[in-house]
Amino acid sequence: MQTEVKKSGMTHSIGELAKEFELKPGTVYGVLNELGIDHDGSQFEADSDAVELIRESLLEQAGSTEIVLKKGAVTPRTVVNALEVPQPDVQKTLMLKLKTPAQLTTTLKDEIVEKLVESFGYTVRWAEAPKPKPAVSLSAAHKKVSGEQPRPPVVTIMGHVDHGKTSLLDYIRKANVAGKEHGGITQHIGAYQVDLPEGKITFLDTPGHAAFTAMRARGAQVTDIAILVVAADDGIMPQTREAIQHIQNANVPMIVAVNKCDRAEANPDRVLQQLTEFNVIAESYGGQVQTYNVSALTGEGIPALLEGILLQAEIMELKADPKGDLKGSVVEAKMEKGRGPVATLLVMNGTLENGDSVVVGSTFGRIKAMTDYKADRLDAAGPATPVEILGLSDVPQAGDQIEFAKDERTAREIASGRSMNEREAALLPQRSRGMTLSDLRNRMQNDDLKELRLVVKADVQGSVEAVKGMLEKVRNEEVETKVILSGVGGITESDILLASAAEAICVGFNVKPEGKAKIEAERRKVEIRTYTIIYELIEDIEAAVKGMLEPKFEEQHLGTGEVRLKMQFGKKGIIAGCYITEGKITRNSQVRVRRARDLVYEGKVATLKHFKDDVREVTLGMECGITFDNWEAFQEGDIIEAFEMIQVNL
């Protein structure tokens, strides 16, 4: 029923009403929804007449096991509040019974919600959530067009780890970035604009380590020109090949910088020859690819390289409209304590200004502050300008596009619509997909597979992707790693609760656990491991996987003896008088006794004597007395084979 009630009046607690009528808060939600009274999950506002009507309705619900929830908007925290059950119980049920790891704020599928609620003895009645308003067109928010103008080229530096990419950029812009990176390797995409006498150039410095292949691929997609750095002493290496593939797939011009030419062992000609195998033909070999011999240490060849970049940009006639439609991409994004979501953007068209309302993928916001790569404040950022912005509602995904919105309310509506569409698109394939023979075969094969479950948190989105990708490859025949949750930001109390429920380890890359998270981890015995260098992280996880293997043993032959006499030996029972014909037999040996070709006993030596003395071992040529564990049916002529099981070192 839908009853007209007055909502103005005093504020009332849903929890107190639920306690008074011995109902769950979720049942109270249903009554409030039916009466058309808004609430925030914990309280509502109503006058005395409305409260009386609510109380009458609640009396009718006595003993009810039904709770009312909104479709498509239920999180584990919603269930905790609606049923008044402990958080860990909800997360354990999700992980262990429903195989659905989730944080307290993760939106759950409707069918999972129904099963979760049923596991606590209640049923769900769905109240349809209001449909989001259609996304508002951005056309009205576009700024006036003033015409295209030349813009600086965006140049990506790519290549193998330790081939001198960042050092080359350091020399160009006279700043020691490499010294600030952990372990001397670049682990984030850096965006910099250099103002040279010849003109401006925007540089993207991408990591060279194999773990960051996805980040390098993203760098190639937003670039005008790619600089492939190859060390003259090392030549073409694995990540060099990957970088060439990314550049060729992105279909952007390539310039080759043969670095470290100051070294005695440098061989630039060999590098140019190796490049021909990848269809990269230098101008000196009759091709069209510019190549420059340089040294990031001495500066040799760098002026010529910069001239070559600007020449290539001039040929490409790169233009943009500073007052046109805003176009740009997220290069990197992270959550910073005290600053909130921080995004590094590369503006490609239009001008971004402080105070602009923007939509970035499925996030939104109003620009509160902008800084350049030197952390200097900016009021506006034009085409080909890298800029760091504050003011977004959440951390966007690297590669998300940025657009203007008329105002912050419009931006919120657009982002909300996109977020809902993304959620539905993500759920549809899972709902419609059945089980294939391949799925069934894999499940049967993996029944005995152990899992090392991990909760992964990192400082920026690119690092999350890289660490997760590397960890999911760590496995062997018996053990595999499974990342049950990954995200940007420090390790939180919620992460610890999930890890506890899932029996997982929390792994942090360039982030630290919050104070409450540390306390909760100690209380729940959850292990937290933090790293600043990816090599160490991967090595530790590989060691952990190795440690989970069942110990493997192999049989090692010790010696052979022959039973020559069978005699009574007091209370010890019947003893076998033996002669050692090979190797040795020890007191703790495992033995097989063979009669002709038949195996008649397999077990352990119980006692071992030399004459009347107990001994630890007897060796070739010695006589001894042996008794076996619970077996006396040996005969003269039986052959005893002694062995031990040795654990194999992996």
Side-chain angles (χ1 to χ4, degrees), residues 247-515:
I247 295 168
Q248 291 173 337
N249 290 339
N251 196 26
V252 295
M254 180 191 306
I255 296 175
V256 176
V258 184
N259 194 24
K260 302 187 181 181
C261 286
D262 56 292
R263 295 192 175 183
E265 60 272 28
N267 189 348
D269 288 336
R270 181 172 68 98
V271 173
L272 300 188
Q273 290 170 5
Q274 289 177 326
L275 287 170
T276 60
E277 300 173 17
F278 303 93
N279 200 29
V280 178
I281 315 298
E283 287 179 338
S284 58
Y285 280 37
Q288 296 183 340
V289 177
Q290 297 180 54
T291 62
Y292 297 90
N293 295 343
V294 302
S295 168
L297 187 64
T298 66
E300 174 195 346
I302 291 179
L305 172 64
L306 296 175
E307 286 178 14
I309 292 171
L310 291 169
L311 176 62
Q312 181 66 51
E314 191 176 334
I315 294 169
M316 296 172 72
E317 296 183 346
L318 301 170
K319 292 183 179 181
D321 184 356
K323 293 188 179 178
D325 296 350
L326 180 65
K327 291 181 182 176
S329 297
V330 176
V331 176
E332 193 53 90
K334 57 189 174 183
M335 180 70 76
E336 282 193 13
K337 193 170 184 180
R339 299 180 78 200
V342 179
T344 302
L345 303 173
L346 184 62
V347 179
M348 297 304 292
N349 197 71
T351 300
L352 189 64
E353 299 178 0
N354 265 324
D356 279 341
S357 295
V358 293
V359 180
V360 185
S362 57
T363 67
F364 69 95
R366 184 172 172 271
I367 306 296
K368 294 179 181 176
M370 289 197 300
T371 54
D372 63 13
Y373 75 93
K374 294 178 292 185
D376 292 336
R377 286 275 200 171
L378 292 176
D379 293 324
T385 303
V387 62
E388 193 172 77
I389 66 167
L390 302 180
L392 295 180
S393 59
D394 203 350
V395 178
Q397 297 291 313
D400 279 352
Q401 302 298 303
I402 182 170
E403 302 165 86
F404 282 129
K406 185 172 61 177
D407 50 40
E408 194 169 357
R409 180 179 175 183
T410 304
R412 184 193 299 271
E413 290 174 356
I414 295 167
S416 176
R418 287 180 181 175
S419 182
M420 183 66 73
N421 292 339
E422 285 175 6
R423 189 182 304 155
E424 289 177 358
L427 292 177
L428 279 175
Q430 296 175 23
R431 288 172 179 166
S432 60
R433 185 174 182 271
M435 181 170 284
T436 64
L437 286 174
S438 175
D439 294 334
L440 183 60
R441 190 183 304 116
N442 289 337
R443 180 172 290 185
M444 291 173 67
Q445 289 174 348
N446 293 336
D447 273 347
D448 297 327
L449 204 62
K450 288 184 178 179
E451 284 182 349
L452 175 59
R453 300 189 186 107
L454 302 168
V455 172
V456 176
K457 300 299 285 290
D459 56 342
V460 295
Q461 187 64 38
S463 294
V464 172
E465 294 171 9
V467 172
K468 185 179 176 184
M470 287 290 282
L471 288 176
E472 287 178 342
K473 293 177 184 176
V474 179
R475 60 176 297 161
N476 51 43
E477 296 83 1
E478 294 181 25
V479 185
E480 70 174 0
T481 57
K482 183 175 182 181
V483 178
I484 61 172
L485 174 74
S486 61
V488 175
I491 297 169
T492 65
E493 186 179 5
S494 179
D495 297 328
I496 300 300
L497 291 172
L498 176 60
S500 174
E503 297 180 348
I505 295 172
C506 279
V507 175
F509 184 65
N510 283 336
V511 295
K512 294 181 179 179
E514 296 175 358

Side-chain angles (χ1 to χ4, degrees), residues 87-241:
Q87 291 179 9
D89 290 356
V90 170
Q91 289 191 292
K92 280 182 182 178
T93 303
L94 281 168
M95 168 56 67
L96 303 178
K97 291 185 180 179
L98 303 179
K99 309 298 182 187
T100 306
Q103 286 186 297
L104 288 173
T105 55
T106 303
T107 302
L108 302 172
K109 296 183 197 177
D110 294 341
E111 55 267 32
I112 294 295
V113 174
E114 290 173 355
K115 292 177 182 176
L116 177 62
V117 171
E118 285 172 6
S119 69
F120 290 98
Y122 287 79
T123 57
V124 175
R125 178 161 60 82
W126 293 110
E128 290 291 336
K131 294 182 180 179
K133 295 179 181 178
V136 179
S137 171
L138 295 175
S139 57
H142 289 158
K143 300 189 176 181
K144 288 184 179 180
V145 176
S146 66
E148 291 187 336
Q149 300 174 13
R151 66 165 175 82
V154 178
V155 179
T156 299
I157 298 183
M158 307 177 80
H160 188 76
V161 63
D162 199 32
H163 273 200
K165 301 179 301 300
T166 307
S167 298
L168 181 64
L169 187 58
D170 283 349
Y171 188 89
I172 293 170
R173 62 188 179 86
K174 306 297 183 185
N176 183 19
V177 171
K180 298 176 185 177
E181 288 280 1
H182 294 289
I185 43 177
T186 306
Q187 304 192 103
H188 306 140
I189 290 182
Y192 317 98
Q193 192 169 64
V194 182
D195 198 352
L196 303 167
E198 300 86 354
K200 286 185 178 180
I201 302 175
T202 298
F203 285 99
L204 296 184
D205 176 26
T206 60
H209 187 262
F212 297 91
T213 299
M215 293 171 71
R216 275 206 310 278
R218 190 184 311 130
Q221 288 166 4
V222 297
T223 194
D224 297 315
I225 301 168
I227 306 296
L228 179 69
V229 178
V230 187
D233 52 349
D234 278 353
I236 303 298
M237 301 294 280
Q239 279 89 57
T240 315
R241 298 189 190 98

